[in-house]
Amino acid sequence: MLYTCFKMSAPIKSYVFGNKFKHFVLYSWKFPMRTNVPYNCYYNKPCMRFLSNTAQKERKKFKLKWVLLGGVALGAAVGGIGTILVPSFSWNGSAAQVKKVDEKVRTPIAPSRQINSKSDNSGLKLTLYQYQTCPFCCKVRAFLDYYGFSYNVIEVNPVLRKEIKWSNYRKVPILVCEEHGEKEQHLRDSSLIVSVMSTLLVRKGDSLEEVLKFFPTLSYSEDGKTKLEQLNRHAVMFGSEENKSAREEEKKWREWADNKLVHYLSPNVYRTPSESLQSFHYFSDVGEWERLFPAWERHLVVYVGAAAMYLIGKRLKKKYSMKEDVRETLYDACNHWVKAIGKNRSFMGGAKPNLADLVSYSTLNVYCNLEFTTVAFIRCF
């Protein structure tokens, strides 16, 4: 056996005796009857034809146990990370709602960073619970930055999510608002947050609590399950009929960005295994995971997450009937957006951006350092 191995090329020797040698030790410990069994060096496993029937059954049981454990781990990763990182898994789905107080008391946490604006005179103390590379969280940040709000950012651990354990809503973004030292309001769903805060800006005499009355939650039963639907989540309550057509257009394209554009991202971000891994390393760098989270959690999210999201990306490609080259579908959507703006205005909002512009910009900006979004940005902006 040793002679056969050392007759191999150097890469094969490294493969057998380097990274994979621990597996040979494991097999030898688990099945001591294999001590004198010829070892297949190329496939790194004992030759099955030399094993007894009992030994073969034991080996199959051993493999089955680890396959099942691996399946459970991958399933948990797909379920947990998929819920966090894939827009189609309802980051801001219809179950998002507004509640005045959660069942648990929110535990104060030191912010990951603070955004201070000299022009902020809103009287609001804002705290954003987020994932840095979540498109919906980027939408909220873009809105707050554009309109000059000061706010604290708390980066949520994508695996444990212990930072939001106080909330019954286990998704992001969550915007905690405290107005003039009064009771906290917890806003969920990115589109709803943008609509509520925009309404607060245009209705200057209304308090946040009064504005929230324009956005009720509808509860209904379907297939024996209670479901919630947030009303008016893409609407800004101006209180007048002025510029009605422009508002309708803004609402239409906000819905388009949420229902179309954002769902084309995941199949592009996780198009191949290497691109998926590259994306997660990018997420780690941008989100400062090395500074904020333990090494084992960071590596778990990066490597397990990359594998899980690659598989999910393939499923989403089929679900949304994307072209074989998913880049083309995304670029077609960008061209559709540019065509809708036309040649006679700089933005959808005319001379300056409106909410539809901010939403489309933030959807692509979240992955701005990846190659495909650079091309998309050139086409759109």
Side-chain angles (χ1 to χ4, degrees):
M1 179 183 72
L2 291 177
Y3 174 78
T4 304
C5 286
F6 281 100
K7 289 285 287 183
M8 296 178 181
S9 63
I12 297 296
K13 285 190 287 184
S14 175
Y15 177 79
V16 174
F17 290 101
N19 298 335
K20 297 295 182 177
F21 183 74
K22 58 184 179 181
H23 294 294
F24 172 66
V25 176
L26 176 64
Y27 277 123
S28 301
W29 166 79
K30 179 68 180 178
F31 307 113
M33 75 285 288
R34 298 182 185 177
T35 304
N36 297 319
V37 173
Y39 197 77
N40 187 328
C41 294
Y42 185 78
Y43 292 103
N44 196 35
K45 61 183 180 181
C47 298
M48 289 296 291
R49 67 177 182 271
F50 289 96
L51 299 178
S52 66
N53 291 335
T54 301
Q56 291 189 38
K57 291 179 180 179
E58 284 294 317
R59 183 174 183 274
K60 289 178 179 179
K61 288 181 181 179
F62 177 69
K63 291 179 66 176
L64 179 61
K65 180 181 73 174
W66 285 103
V67 167
L68 292 175
L69 289 174
V72 171
L74 184 58
V78 171
I81 298 174
T83 300
I84 297 168
L85 299 173
V86 182
S88 67
F89 279 77
S90 228
W91 264 330
N92 64 340
S94 60
Q97 54 186 308
V98 179
K99 287 187 178 179
K100 295 181 180 179
V101 182
D102 287 275
E103 292 182 356
K104 298 178 181 179
V105 177
R106 185 172 70 96
T107 304
I109 300 176
S112 305
R113 65 179 186 275
Q114 295 177 310
I115 310 299
N116 296 310
S117 173
K118 295 180 180 179
S119 62
D120 183 15
N121 58 1
S122 64
L124 294 172
K125 181 181 179 182
L126 304 176
T127 303
L128 177 63
Y129 290 79
Q130 65 144 28
Y131 305 117
Q132 183 67 21
T133 51
C134 162
F136 300 113
C137 298
C138 188
K139 181 199 305 183
V140 175
R141 292 198 310 271
F143 173 85
L144 296 176
D145 291 340
Y146 183 77
Y147 285 100
F149 286 96
S150 297
Y151 60 99
N152 294 332
V153 175
I154 294 181
E155 194 71 19
V156 177
N157 186 305
V159 177
L160 301 178
R161 286 177 278 180
K162 57 182 179 295
E163 293 82 2
I164 55 173
K165 64 181 180 181
W166 50 268
S167 175
N168 295 326
Y169 185 69
R170 302 294 291 166
K171 302 174 185 177
V172 292
I174 299 176
L175 184 65
V176 177
C177 307
E178 186 177 343
E179 188 175 26
H180 304 298
E182 298 179 359
K183 187 179 294 185
E184 292 180 349
Q185 308 282 1
H186 301 160
L187 310 185
R188 304 90 177 267
D189 179 286
S190 60
S191 294
L192 180 65
I193 292 172
V194 170
S195 294
V196 168
M197 299 301 291
S198 296
T199 302
L200 189 64
L201 288 175
V202 299
R203 303 178 72 93
K204 298 185 183 298
D206 291 355
S207 66
L208 180 59
E209 187 171 5
E210 291 172 330
V211 167
L212 291 178
K213 296 177 182 178
F214 292 110
F215 303 91
T217 301
L218 177 65
S219 177
Y220 63 96
S221 296
E222 184 177 291
D223 299 329
K225 297 181 179 180
T226 301
K227 295 190 176 182
L228 301 172
E229 183 174 348
Q230 189 65 54
L231 303 182
N232 302 327
R233 55 194 291 266
H234 290 101
V236 179
M237 302 301 173
F238 287 91
S240 70
E241 295 294 321
E242 186 180 355
N243 297 326
K244 184 177 179 180
S245 61
R247 296 172 190 171
E248 289 293 334
E249 182 184 46
E250 179 184 68
K251 182 174 180 288
K252 169 188 171 182
W253 285 99
R254 286 180 64 192
E255 292 174 345
W256 172 82
D258 280 354
N259 299 329
K260 294 286 187 180
L261 181 61
V262 74
H263 295 305
Y264 298 151
L265 291 180
S266 291
N268 278 278
V269 175
Y270 314 113
R271 186 176 60 162
T272 66
S274 60
E275 288 180 358
S276 184
L277 185 59
Q278 177 191 5
S279 297
F280 270 84
H281 281 299
Y282 169 70
F283 299 162
S284 178
D285 293 339
V286 173
E288 298 182 310
W289 292 355
E290 186 172 357
R291 177 176 68 88
L292 298 174
F293 306 130
W296 71 269
E297 291 181 8
R298 178 164 46 88
H299 291 311
L300 176 67
V301 176
V302 168
Y303 292 101
V304 177
M309 295 309 298
Y310 167 71
L311 299 176
I312 291 175
K314 294 298 182 184
R315 189 172 68 180
L316 296 180
K317 173 184 174 182
K318 182 178 180 180
K319 178 178 180 180
Y320 292 102
S321 303
M322 298 178 68
K323 295 180 179 180
E324 184 62 29
D325 184 354
V326 293
R327 296 284 194 267
E328 293 184 10
T329 302
L330 179 63
Y331 297 155
D332 288 346
C334 294
N335 292 334
H336 181 53
W337 164 259
V338 172
K339 184 178 179 180
I341 295 176
K343 297 180 180 180
N344 297 324
R345 52 181 178 174
S346 301
F347 303 96
M348 184 68 71
K352 59 181 181 179
N354 63 9
L355 296 182
D357 291 295
L358 290 179
V359 169
S360 298
Y361 163 80
S362 60
T363 299
L364 295 175
N365 184 57
V366 68
Y367 303 124
C368 62
N369 285 342
L370 301 180
E371 179 181 356
F372 76 92
T373 51
T374 302
V375 178
F377 250 86
I378 293 173
R379 296 189 179 211
C380 285
F381 305 103

